[in-house]
Amino acid sequence: MSQSENTPGKPEFKQLWPTQFMSLSLPGHDTANPVLADHLLEQNIARDDMTVDYTSDNLFMTDHPAVIWLRQCCDRAVLDYARHAGIDYDLEWILQGWANVNMRGDYHNLHNHPHSWLSGTYYVSVPDQSDADTFRSDLNPSAISFFDPRPQANMNSIRNDGQVDAEHRLLPKNGDLFLWPAFLHHLVHPNMAEMPRISISFNVVLKWKNDYIPR
């Protein structure tokens, strides 16, 4: 417990229990993404239910050059995330990744990623949705939404109060990498374009050291 040292008459503010979210556009994605797209589409043809059967294989264990490039970028992103969060000691982790190929109408229901520290997604190809026939205004084609992890916090919501805005929605671009705590619930809105939406999702699973085990 820390002791408050407020100056009399001057309010001080601290954001308690933040949910840190990281986004960046990977340099080199213009070159890597077409190669990744071809590789993942070939895998999608060869494997039934590749997008939903994500626990049976680890994409990052392959030796494909573009996948190796992405694995190195993801490892660097995890390190940057940890340092920004104030973690000043060494961590060891495993990246467990899988491909998502979403055809027209495909989406992902609300979920989170148990048994992991962080989760992330890299966007290989996000098709233009501007000409898609949506027939309704609330579909948010190809967007991804993240939700406040505090249950019912939005019941106190008032306009422009960012602390209780229940949904954070983003429309990714090719080359975007997002990283967030694995407990955070999220969903992916339908792809309404004729071209597939291709992404690579992954979990960051911490490796336990012997030094951490109580004796």
Side-chain angles (χ1 to χ4, degrees), residues 54-203:
Y54 64 92
T55 59
S56 64
D57 198 7
N58 185 356
L59 177 69
F60 287 122
M61 297 301 290
T62 64
D63 58 0
H64 190 281
V67 175
I68 294 173
W69 167 81
L70 180 59
R71 184 177 68 229
Q72 292 171 343
C73 291
C74 290
D75 278 334
R76 177 67 209 193
V78 172
L79 185 60
D80 289 341
Y81 185 103
R83 293 297 179 258
H84 191 269
I87 298 173
D88 59 358
Y89 51 89
D90 291 337
L91 293 173
E92 292 186 27
W93 61 82
I94 297 171
L95 294 178
Q96 189 258 324
W98 63 96
N100 304 295
V101 177
N102 293 149
M103 309 308 286
R104 177 177 167 82
D106 286 351
Y107 61 93
H108 294 274
N109 282 325
L110 184 70
H111 65 285
N112 61 7
H113 295 216
H115 315 301
S116 305
W117 175 43
L118 303 176
S119 293
T121 297
Y122 175 68
Y123 292 89
V124 178
S125 179
V126 183
D128 183 12
Q129 305 285 319
S130 59
D131 294 331
D133 293 328
T134 60
F135 303 106
R136 48 189 289 179
S137 61
D138 61 342
L139 289 181
N140 308 305
S142 272
I144 183 169
S145 290
F146 299 87
F147 296 92
D148 192 329
R150 301 166 299 170
Q152 287 77 53
N154 65 314
M155 296 301 293
N156 295 325
S157 178
I158 61 174
R159 185 158 49 94
N160 295 335
D161 184 353
Q163 294 192 83
V164 287
D165 187 1
E167 179 184 1
H168 181 59
R169 187 188 309 149
L170 295 165
L171 181 60
K173 304 184 301 297
N174 296 350
D176 281 351
L177 175 68
F178 297 159
L179 196 59
W180 63 86
F183 63 75
L184 201 62
H185 275 90
H186 54 286
L187 61 82
V188 180
H189 298 266
N191 172 30
M192 300 304 296
E194 296 298 331
M195 298 296 293
R197 178 183 58 209
I198 306 173
S199 64
I200 295 174
S201 295
F202 60 94
N203 289 325

